[in-house]
Amino acid sequence: MPTVPTSRAARWGALALLVRPTYIAAEFVTAAATTGGYSFVADSVSRLGEVGCSAAYCSPRHEVMNGSFIGFGMLMAGGALLLARPLGPWVTGLLVVSGASSVATGLAPLDQDATLHAIAATPLFFAQPMALIVLGARIRREQPRLGSALLATGAVTAAAAVGFVLTPEGTASGALERLALWPVLFGLAGFAWTQRRR
């Protein structure tokens, strides 16, 4: 059966999801400039976006982190919309919600309004794992390895998200948050890779 050429829009959508793993570099760049000590295991990602400084802690590159929340959130939402046909309506909708949540998180730094920040960030932790699980189930017959990997990643990130919500700040909350977020970057990039020339 001949391969259906990928549209230009879909290629751009795939590219948008393929570059998203570089988000991790933004965390390291921002964390490297903090003063007062920052732990990837104990501290939340949102602390890197705190605007205010004190003698105990400061994140001088908070613009990098908040800008990354916004930029990479837009890439997620935009990439999903451009890949709406292979993703399907449910996955597309969940990823658009996730992207919008990320953008809102960047616009509402933690130390400026903790309640607004929590409201902005919460949908991301639920919508992303659901998107991976639905996508994995959707493609499992045609792409069994990738489908199974996405299902497993969705389950792991969902469990980590619940653990992050229930774990007090300063213990292993930072590690759990990253386990809830980082694998999604690679899961979606793996799917995008298969869509480049389909």
Side-chain angles (χ1 to χ4, degrees), residues 6 10-19 79 83 86-87 135 139 143 146 150 185-198:
T6 303
R11 286 196 294 268
W12 280 110
L15 179 62
L17 298 184
L18 280 168
V19 301
L83 286 170
L87 287 172
L135 179 58
I139 69 170
Q143 302 177 71
L146 180 58
L150 290 172
L185 300 168
F186 297 99
L188 291 176
F191 173 78
W193 181 260
T194 68
Q195 298 302 307
R196 295 171 305 129
R197 297 178 180 175
R198 286 182 66 85

Side-chain angles (χ1 to χ4, degrees), residues 38-72:
Y38 181 84
S39 170
F40 277 78
V41 173
D43 292 322
S44 69
V45 178
S46 296
R47 289 204 71 203
L48 295 174
E50 290 185 359
V51 176
C53 285
S54 68
Y57 177 77
C58 185
S59 179
R61 294 178 184 166
H62 56 84
E63 299 97 337
V64 173
M65 197 70 260
N66 292 324
S68 294
F69 290 150
I70 295 169
F72 285 97

Side-chain angles (χ1 to χ4, degrees), residues 148-190:
S148 296
L150 290 172
L151 284 167
T153 303
V156 169
T157 54
V162 172
F164 168 65
V165 171
L166 298 177
T167 301
E169 179 82 20
T171 52
S173 60
L176 286 169
E177 184 179 20
R178 288 171 173 87
L179 184 58
L181 298 176
W182 288 4
V184 177
L185 300 168
F186 297 99
L188 291 176

Side-chain angles (χ1 to χ4, degrees), residues 60-135:
R61 294 178 184 166
H62 56 84
E63 299 97 337
V64 173
M65 197 70 260
N66 292 324
S68 294
F69 290 150
I70 295 169
F72 285 97
M74 292 174 69
L75 284 174
M76 184 192 296
L81 289 170
L82 292 171
L83 286 170
R85 185 172 181 180
L87 287 172
W90 283 103
V91 178
T92 300
L94 288 166
L95 292 180
V96 169
V97 168
S98 299
S101 176
S102 180
V103 171
T105 300
L107 295 173
L110 177 63
D111 63 328
Q112 301 299 295
D113 189 329
T115 301
L116 181 60
H117 181 84
I119 293 171
T122 297
L124 181 71
F125 290 95
F126 292 97
Q128 283 194 143
M130 288 177 61
L132 291 186
I133 291 170
V134 175
L135 179 58

